[in-house]
Amino acid sequence: METNGQQTICLTAGVPRLPQVRLAEAATVTLGANEHIAIMGPNGAGKTLLADLLTGKYPLGEGTLVYDFRPSALASAYDNIRTIAFRDTYGSADANYYYQQRWNAHDQDDAPTVRQQLGPVKDEEHRRRLFDLFGLEPLMDKKIILLSSGELRKFQLAKALLTEPRVLVMDNPFIGLDADTRRLLNDLLERIARTGAVQLVLVLSMLDDVPPFITHVVSVAERRVGRKQTRDEYLAAFHQADA
């Protein structure tokens, strides 16, 4: 895909209109059309707030936020950006309900299946490619509450990608996963990144969580946004500071 310096997302000196969701200073971040970004920082640093600003969740009082989602035919952030926050393992469903259901087997009849939760699909060819990529077909009639952690991640990724977003933001994607499931998720994300159709933005706290397909890192500390660095630059600077 020829991008010619295209910026999918360009936030310049952004300050939210609402005081309660502001960072310590104005934020400037760009997402180039071929980049996959990790937003890095400790808990409470302001990483999720920055992701919310990039996705247009909070209207700006100062600065600008410009999108260019080509080759998508749709121009709005609503149509082109999907966000999954893994604090809530079950996505849009009520987490507490599902956690309770998981330990109450006699209530399983009330729980939806993967097929029901994914809903109707507009593009059958796109659906088939995704299901092949994730190996979802055997899970379609399984109750959501009976899915393993890895299967849940697959389900949520597929649900988001079925809408064909240009940008997929994942907040804490590796939280609560064992080593094998982390490797599985990393492999799935790498395959998605290789397609070139979707740009990935991962919100992470741990250096070990930064996958090889990430091209650039934006660090956030004490609610201040650092400059965007290449993955190699960021890792080298981190190890030098650590030493």
Side-chain angles (χ1 to χ4, degrees):
M1 182 175 65
E2 185 63 40
T3 56
N4 294 323
Q6 176 188 345
Q7 303 291 337
T8 307
I9 301 176
C10 186
L11 174 67
T12 305
V15 178
R17 194 177 300 160
L18 295 173
Q20 59 267 38
V21 294
R22 288 179 186 169
L23 293 161
E25 56 192 23
T28 296
V29 177
T30 59
L31 174 58
N34 291 319
E35 297 173 354
H36 301 290
I37 303 284
I39 299 175
M40 293 290 303
N43 292 333
K47 303 185 301 294
T48 298
L49 179 51
L50 174 60
D52 289 341
L53 289 180
L54 293 174
T55 60
K57 181 176 180 179
Y58 301 118
L60 296 182
E62 300 175 24
T64 59
L65 178 60
V66 179
Y67 297 120
D68 182 352
F69 294 116
R70 288 175 297 164
S72 172
L74 302 169
S76 73
Y78 176 82
D79 290 312
N80 285 285
I81 301 177
R82 293 290 173 269
T83 300
I84 311 175
F86 286 101
R87 290 179 299 276
D88 173 359
T89 309
Y90 291 90
S92 60
D94 181 76
N96 289 328
Y97 168 77
Y98 282 125
Y99 283 132
Q100 291 165 10
Q101 294 288 294
R102 192 148 193 174
W103 306 113
N104 289 278
H106 63 277
D107 291 330
Q108 286 176 14
D109 290 342
D110 297 331
T113 63
V114 169
R115 189 184 308 278
Q116 290 169 328
Q117 285 292 91
L118 287 178
V121 177
K122 295 177 183 177
D123 186 336
E124 183 58 32
E125 177 63 22
H126 181 57
R127 182 201 72 81
R128 186 188 62 75
R129 286 196 303 268
L130 271 181
F131 281 28
D132 287 348
L133 178 66
F134 290 173
L136 272 184
E137 205 61 58
L139 303 179
M140 291 302 287
D141 294 312
K142 195 171 182 179
K143 300 285 189 182
I144 294 284
I145 61 171
L146 299 180
L147 297 180
S148 68
S149 295
E151 290 169 342
L152 278 167
R153 295 300 200 269
K154 282 185 179 183
F155 161 72
Q156 282 199 291
L157 273 172
K159 188 174 175 66
L161 292 173
L162 278 170
T163 64
E164 299 186 64
R166 184 71 183 90
V167 179
L168 178 60
V169 180
M170 303 177 70
D171 196 339
N172 272 322
F174 301 107
I175 193 171
L177 298 183
D178 58 36
D180 288 341
T181 309
R182 288 162 66 92
R183 280 193 290 271
L184 168 70
L185 178 58
N186 249 322
D187 182 53
L188 288 174
L189 292 176
E190 186 169 359
R191 290 187 212 172
I192 293 167
R194 277 204 304 264
T195 68
V198 182
Q199 290 183 255
L200 299 174
V201 178
L202 307 186
V203 181
L204 305 170
S205 297
M206 304 290 291
L207 189 69
D208 291 344
D209 285 342
V210 183
F213 62 80
I214 289 295
T215 63
H216 292 78
V217 176
V218 176
S219 59
V220 183
E222 297 178 348
R223 299 175 74 85
R224 288 177 169 82
V225 179
R227 70 178 183 87
K228 184 174 71 178
Q229 300 172 276
T230 67
R231 182 180 186 274
D232 290 343
E233 284 175 337
Y234 177 81
L235 293 178
F238 184 91
H239 290 310
Q240 185 177 10
D242 196 42

